[in-house]
Amino acid sequence: MAVCARLCGVGQSRRCRRRQRHNQQDQGSDSDMDEEEGERIVGETQAVTGSPENSAVAGPSVAHEAIAECGRANSYGDSASTGPPNPQSLLDLPPELLVEVFSSLPGTELPNLALVCKKFRQILNTETIWRRRCTEEFGMREDLRKMEVVGVSSRELYAKLLHPYRHILGLWQPDIGPYGGLLNVVVDGLFIIGWMYLPPHDPRVEDPMRRRPLFRIHMWESNKVAVECMYGHKGPHKGDIQTGKKDEFSTKCNQTDHHRMPGGRQEEFRTWLEEEWGRTLEDIFHEHMQELILMKFIYTSQYDNCLTYRRIYLPPRMPSDLLQPGLFKGTYGSHGLEIVMLSFHGPCARATKLTGDPNVPAGQLTLDVDLNRPVCLPDLEHQRSMEELSRLVLGVHEEVQREVQSPDVAPQGAASEGAVAGGAGAAGLELAMEAQSESPQPGPSSSSSAPSEAQPFVLPLGVMTRNEIYPRTCKMCFYGTGLIAGHGFTSPERTPGLFVLFDEDHFGFIWLELKSFSLYSRLTDRLAHAYAPDMERFEAMLRNMQSWTS
């Protein structure tokens, strides 16, 4: 009663009590029916908000928000209003304005409003309200009237499908041992679909990502939610999704016979090889590469009936970042193309593997770049010399080693410039750019352009690359280290190399010890529900990711 009085906006006045007594006399035995209806609404509220305590607390606050929205909506003019010229409460507003007000509130709060009075409850059955919530909160662009034709209302779609499964939307990394992966769960039309993102076929790093559906959730049949496994070659079949721990969920297939092919494992392997690598086993002449491919097939096929996923975030962009952080696909020799996440941490740029291999598994820090240690390239003639490049990079590497062994000794040259701005990304980068522009270039060179401008670039002779076509100009180069290890992630070590920034969407890394070059190209896919709320949450996710495979 007190809640109702507050929502009416008149408090415990005689006018409010007189109206309540009048309504009680008119309704008579209808009060029992309203109590049953109220219990039903409470049940729906608990299903959406999670607990009756939340709905009891949130109701008045939502009403106050609605009153504020009501004041703004009422200012549009009196011509569309059929209620009193000067409404004193929400109940005095015409239904069309209440629909507009309620449509602007979060869907999770609407069941609380339904507990206020019968008028609100009736208005909240309007499909327009729930269509708008489905569109604004989940980005549904499909015409929701299609669902209503088959007997599923927008309110049911929100309450039974979109809201209960909202926690699995976004990016996830499957637990497939060292190989990892990238899963993107999105609202796709009238479905929730889990798309597994696969790199292009090696070595076409510029090609778009490939996608394969792993599962889908829908309400096409009856009014019940159905989970279907999409793995295999026999079409959708029954599956299940379990959400236990925070930021983690599991999928299970209940009909694994749909994953099998008539020709047995040999046919399954040839089909998988064609999809994964775009070639047949006869086309792969390198014996070590054949072993790696066969090993991956045997390992990953063990996870075709049950998989666990852990949430991952994209890094938020900071003003001091050298370029837009995000996901890139890069070449890793015989292991093919892999997906890495580039992020910036003060004066450092780091690339973390989302997909991995038996040597360096997913979740590990594959590249660590010091933005306070620029490397000024010589002219093209000297760039072709591996000895000249090694001299430049190893000179910085030895300097770093001396600083690690004697931290009290002040760094010299470009290192001293970086030490001044080590804690501030933007300032550190500016000093690094100054150091690069002022550093003498080894060998004859007529280039006097600023480091942010394009300068000629060519790979040294003897450096192996999977891509003969690579950018021939670069913006900046920095000293960095890359992670290498033996099979099974044995004897891991960080070796020096050169980070080359080509443009906003491409960078490369020259591995000195391996004498190889990796080219990275940005993923251009639109990824919703993927960005970390803040940098602290992102860094915590990175630490957890590395602990999974350490």
Side-chain angles (χ1 to χ4, degrees):
M1 192 74 69
V3 172
C4 181
R6 288 197 298 272
L7 289 170
C8 293
V10 296
Q12 292 285 4
S13 65
R14 288 183 295 173
R15 173 187 171 189
C16 186
R17 291 194 293 270
R18 188 183 307 116
R19 181 166 64 247
Q20 292 163 2
R21 287 196 300 270
H22 179 71
N23 292 339
Q24 290 174 359
Q25 292 173 2
D26 289 346
Q27 293 175 357
S29 60
D30 290 344
S31 60
D32 295 337
M33 180 187 66
D34 288 345
E35 291 180 2
E36 295 177 359
E37 181 71 7
E39 293 178 358
R40 182 183 67 82
I41 294 294
V42 169
E44 292 184 5
T45 304
Q46 294 179 11
V48 175
T49 61
S51 65
E53 292 82 356
N54 291 340
S55 59
V57 173
S61 63
V62 173
H64 290 312
E65 293 180 18
I67 290 173
E69 291 288 342
C70 152
R72 289 190 288 270
N74 194 43
S75 63
Y76 292 151
D78 297 333
S79 58
S81 175
T82 59
N86 297 308
Q88 300 297 318
S89 71
L90 283 175
L91 291 174
D92 294 335
L93 289 177
E96 59 269 22
L97 278 183
L98 288 177
V99 168
E100 182 67 23
V101 171
F102 293 168
S103 297
S104 64
L105 297 177
T108 55
E109 307 290 2
L110 296 181
N112 299 327
L113 282 175
L115 298 174
V116 173
C117 61
K118 192 172 184 178
K119 180 178 180 180
F120 284 9
R121 187 162 60 246
Q122 292 172 343
I123 292 176
L124 286 171
N125 286 326
T126 306
E127 282 295 286
T128 305
I129 298 175
W130 297 97
R131 285 194 210 111
R132 181 170 169 182
R133 297 326 311 149
C134 293
T135 301
E136 293 186 0
E137 294 184 26
F138 297 98
M140 296 194 68
R141 298 292 180 261
E142 197 77 13
D143 188 357
L144 294 175
R145 292 181 178 85
K146 293 180 181 179
M147 294 292 291
E148 297 165 14
V149 170
V150 297
V152 179
S153 66
S154 298
R155 179 176 181 173
E156 290 175 321
L157 183 68
Y158 185 98
K160 296 182 180 180
L161 177 64
L162 299 179
H163 185 271
Y165 289 96
R166 71 191 185 283
H167 295 302
I168 69 171
L169 298 178
L171 294 182
W172 302 83
Q173 186 179 47
D175 185 7
I176 315 180
Y179 298 103
L182 179 64
L183 179 80
N184 187 25
V185 183
V186 298
V187 177
D188 194 337
L190 301 177
F191 298 85
I192 292 179
I193 301 182
W195 293 99
M196 180 69 83
Y197 276 59
L198 304 173
H201 294 141
D202 181 53
R204 299 194 292 267
V205 71
E206 296 292 347
D207 286 2
M209 295 288 289
R210 297 175 295 128
R211 299 193 309 169
R212 184 175 66 193
L214 289 191
F215 63 85
R216 70 180 185 182
I217 314 170
H218 63 86
M219 289 181 62
W220 275 116
E221 300 174 1
S222 69
N223 288 339
K224 294 184 178 180
V225 173
V227 178
E228 295 178 334
C229 176
M230 303 289 289
Y231 189 84
H233 304 273
K234 297 182 180 180
H237 46 283
K238 190 175 181 181
D240 188 26
I241 289 182
Q242 299 176 348
T243 54
K245 300 179 182 178
K246 182 182 178 182
D247 293 336
E248 184 177 309
F249 77 96
S250 301
T251 57
K252 183 179 181 181
C253 177
N254 298 328
Q255 294 176 293
T256 54
D257 56 301
H258 282 66
H259 303 174
R260 305 293 170 250
M261 302 189 72
R265 297 288 281 176
Q266 187 172 6
E267 182 181 359
E268 293 173 12
F269 173 66
R270 290 188 174 275
T271 303
W272 174 87
L273 185 60
E274 179 68 26
E275 294 177 352
E276 188 81 9
W277 292 85
R279 63 183 80 176
T280 63
L281 195 61
E282 291 76 14
D283 298 332
I284 303 173
F285 302 103
H286 198 287
E287 183 177 349
H288 177 61
M289 192 172 183
Q290 290 181 352
E291 294 177 354
L292 292 174
I293 291 174
L294 184 59
M295 183 188 310
K296 184 174 183 178
F297 170 74
I298 295 174
Y299 195 98
T300 56
S301 60
Q302 303 174 20
Y303 294 85
D304 63 346
N305 64 330
C306 186
L307 264 178
T308 299
Y309 303 87
R310 298 183 179 93
R311 181 178 293 281
I312 58 178
Y313 292 111
L314 294 182
R317 179 160 193 178
M318 310 299 287
S320 59
D321 292 346
L322 182 64
L323 69 157
Q324 173 70 44
L327 302 181
F328 290 77
K329 44 211 153 107
T331 55
Y332 279 85
S334 300
H335 299 292
L337 298 186
E338 298 184 10
I339 306 173
V340 303
M341 178 187 296
L342 180 68
S343 58
F344 294 91
H345 310 262
C348 297
R350 293 169 182 166
T352 305
K353 280 192 172 187
L354 296 186
T355 61
D357 51 70
N359 291 71
V360 179
Q364 293 301 313
L365 183 63
T366 179
L367 301 179
D368 192 0
V369 183
D370 190 345
L371 301 179
N372 282 340
R373 299 183 185 276
V375 176
C376 197
L377 293 178
D379 56 42
L380 285 178
E381 181 181 352
H382 287 80
Q383 285 185 36
R384 291 188 174 92
S385 170
M386 187 64 188
E387 291 76 12
E388 182 65 32
L389 177 66
S390 298
R391 184 186 67 81
L392 290 174
V393 176
L394 292 179
V396 180
H397 181 68
E398 292 173 359
E399 197 172 276
V400 172
Q401 296 298 106
R402 287 196 299 268
E403 292 178 14
V404 172
Q405 296 173 1
S406 304
D408 296 334
V409 178
Q412 301 177 357
S416 62
E417 301 274 356
V420 177
L429 183 57
E430 289 179 3
L431 291 179
M433 293 172 64
E434 286 182 17
Q436 181 176 359
S437 61
E438 296 173 1
S439 298
Q441 299 183 11
S445 173
S446 58
S447 174
S448 60
S449 60
S452 59
E453 297 178 359
Q455 52 184 315
F457 174 81
V458 66
L459 285 176
L461 297 176
V463 172
M464 298 178 294
T465 176
R466 308 286 291 182
N467 300 81
E468 295 297 334
I469 301 177
Y470 59 88
R472 296 309 173 107
T473 59
C474 67
K475 289 186 175 182
M476 308 177 75
C477 297
F478 296 92
Y479 162 82
T481 59
L483 181 62
I484 63 174
H487 186 83
F489 198 40
T490 56
S491 305
E493 61 173 320
R494 307 207 66 86
T495 62
L498 182 68
F499 175 88
V500 185
L501 176 63
F502 295 112
D503 53 47
E504 181 71 16
D505 298 323
H506 299 86
F507 66 87
F509 191 80
I510 301 177
W511 308 73
L512 288 188
E513 184 170 333
L514 302 179
K515 292 186 178 181
S516 66
F517 171 72
S518 294
L519 177 64
Y520 300 82
S521 176
R522 184 184 298 275
L523 269 73
T524 57
D525 302 69
R526 179 180 175 272
L527 302 173
H529 307 281
Y531 286 90
D534 50 57
M535 198 62 187
E536 290 74 15
R537 183 78 64 88
F538 174 75
E539 291 179 345
M541 181 272 299
L542 277 186
R543 290 191 295 270
N544 292 334
M545 184 187 301
Q546 293 170 6
S547 67
W548 299 338
T549 55
S550 294

